Amino acid sequence: MAVSRRSRPVGGFVWVCGSRSCSESFRPAVHCVVSRCVTDGLGIATGGAVGPDSWALESLLACLPSAPAGVLTSSLVSLAWQLVSGCPVAARPSVLAAQSAGVPIRFGSALPGCDRSQAAAALFTRSRFIGTSGRLAGCIAFVGDSVGRGTFFSLGLCARRVPVFVFASSLYVLPSLGQGCWHAAKLAGFHCYRWSPASCPLFRGGN
């Protein structure tokens, strides 16, 4: 992640998020991006969902044996649920593996089986916690053909604070995040899009 070490927050992490329906074809990019961030000494934060969240956790676990000191404790899984059993079935193995490896887990307020409005509120609280953290150093989203409501909310939290990169099928699926614009970029060798706000003190490019 191209973030100045001098301006990087202590215990900094990069938030990897995205669409649950994101194509498996993005998995290699997730792995390379996570590997790049870990090599740079940054932790990885996810929301414990399926798709990019799970792929990011799997990649983090694969990188941990050779990771710089501090990456493990700087990483974070922030859940909407009070129990891992509230997570989508497909996401539970990666969350449980991360927990066993010592990745910090923050549990949310929703109980398994709660109604949709309670679950939605807990999901947005989870995202707000990550997106407003003083340790946030960047946000990388994988969306494919569409940007869902939750991902749009997450990107909006980050757009004026830290570098934001999105992997999408086309520039035209990306919504405006306020004053600024999207530009073609590369991250960890993969083509993506970078949001350029009016000002972002941490941004140093994405090559």
Side-chain angles (χ1 to χ4, degrees), residues 15-92:
W15 185 8
V16 179
C17 59
S19 170
R20 290 172 292 179
S21 60
C22 190
S23 168
E24 283 268 349
S25 64
F26 284 93
R27 188 191 284 261
V30 173
H31 177 75
C32 289
V33 165
V34 169
S35 179
R36 166 78 177 271
C37 292
V38 168
T39 298
D40 284 349
L42 287 160
I44 300 297
T46 81
V50 296
D53 288 47
S54 293
W55 305 337
L57 276 183
E58 293 166 2
S59 299
L60 171 63
L61 294 172
C63 293
L64 281 178
S66 58
V71 166
L72 174 63
T73 54
S74 295
S75 296
L76 171 70
V77 180
S78 182
L79 301 178
W81 312 97
Q82 295 185 27
L83 303 166
V84 174
S85 59
C87 296
V89 173
R92 291 175 200 168

Side-chain angles (χ1 to χ4, degrees), residues 18-19 21-22 142-149 151 166-169 173-175:
S19 170
S21 60
C22 190
F142 295 81
V143 302
D145 295 329
S146 64
V147 179
R149 181 185 174 197
T151 303
V166 176
F167 288 74
S169 60
V173 306
L174 300 178

Side-chain angles (χ1 to χ4, degrees), residues 1-3 36 137-143 155 158-188 190-207:
M1 186 71 182
V3 178
R36 166 78 177 271
C139 178
I140 305 171
F142 295 81
V143 302
L155 294 173
C158 303
R160 291 183 297 276
R161 301 184 57 220
V162 296
V164 171
F165 296 87
V166 176
F167 288 74
S169 60
S170 167
L171 175 65
Y172 300 105
V173 306
L174 300 178
S176 172
L177 300 178
Q179 293 186 341
C181 59
W182 292 102
H183 293 284
K186 290 188 75 173
L187 192 62
F190 288 83
H191 292 285
C192 61
Y193 300 96
R194 167 178 56 86
W195 176 254
S196 295
S199 63
C200 184
L202 294 181
F203 180 68
R204 291 297 182 91
N207 292 324

